[in-house]
Amino acid sequence: MIPGATDRPLIFLDVDGPLIPLSSRPPGHRTFRDEELSGYGNPLLHRLDPDDGQRLLALNCELVWATTWMADANEVISPLLGLPELAVVEWPDTDEDPPHGLHWKTEPITEWAAGRPFIWLDDELTEADRQWVASHHGCRALLHRVDPHTGLTKADYSLIRRWLAE
Ligand SMILES: [Mg+2]
């Protein structure tokens, strides 16, 4: 293990919304060329921002996949974005909705963090999740909702960097 590695905040990453927005990228935005995505057979990958990997790595946190893509995130998204293989949060196998309007990811993510500071980037989290984490996680946490129509923007990265610098 790298010395000090466990001191770094975690960043839990959702894929659909933050990295693959609901809408196509605006004209002029850099995206992958067709030939770079040939063989993947998923047209939504055209919505990835090829530079998000470098931007995320530059935050110098420990990145963790927190997505329904599960292991596919390491198979497909990590190589395209130039990310290493990341740890993946496993989800409980249940159809029951968690109480108090919580997102179904909130408890597993908080448990995974195990008291370490963390950032969670997702398009579906709400104030209920923030409140629950504030009262159940004994450490700093930034639950940042990303607009699923834009994906991660410069403003999102600025906010994250400010939080990390605090
Ligand atoms: Mg999402």
Side-chain angles (χ1 to χ4, degrees), residues 14-18 105 122-124:
D14 180 29
V15 171
D16 293 308
K105 291 180 181 176
D122 201 294
D123 56 307
E124 292 182 346

Side-chain angles (χ1 to χ4, degrees), residues 43-108:
L44 294 181
L45 296 176
H46 277 284
R47 296 183 188 169
L48 284 170
D49 182 327
D51 300 320
D52 265 335
Q54 281 310 309
R55 292 189 194 107
L56 288 164
L57 289 173
L59 297 171
N60 198 27
C61 295
E62 187 175 328
L63 304 171
V64 180
W65 291 122
T67 165
T68 52
W69 282 63
M70 308 286 296
D72 288 345
N74 276 325
E75 294 274 320
V76 178
I77 309 293
S78 286
L80 283 169
L81 296 187
L83 294 170
E85 186 168 328
L86 305 179
V88 178
V89 180
E90 303 275 340
W91 309 118
D93 190 13
T94 172
D95 290 333
E96 277 177 48
D97 282 331
H100 316 303
L102 283 190
H103 196 285
W104 53 269
K105 291 180 181 176
T106 308
E107 289 185 66

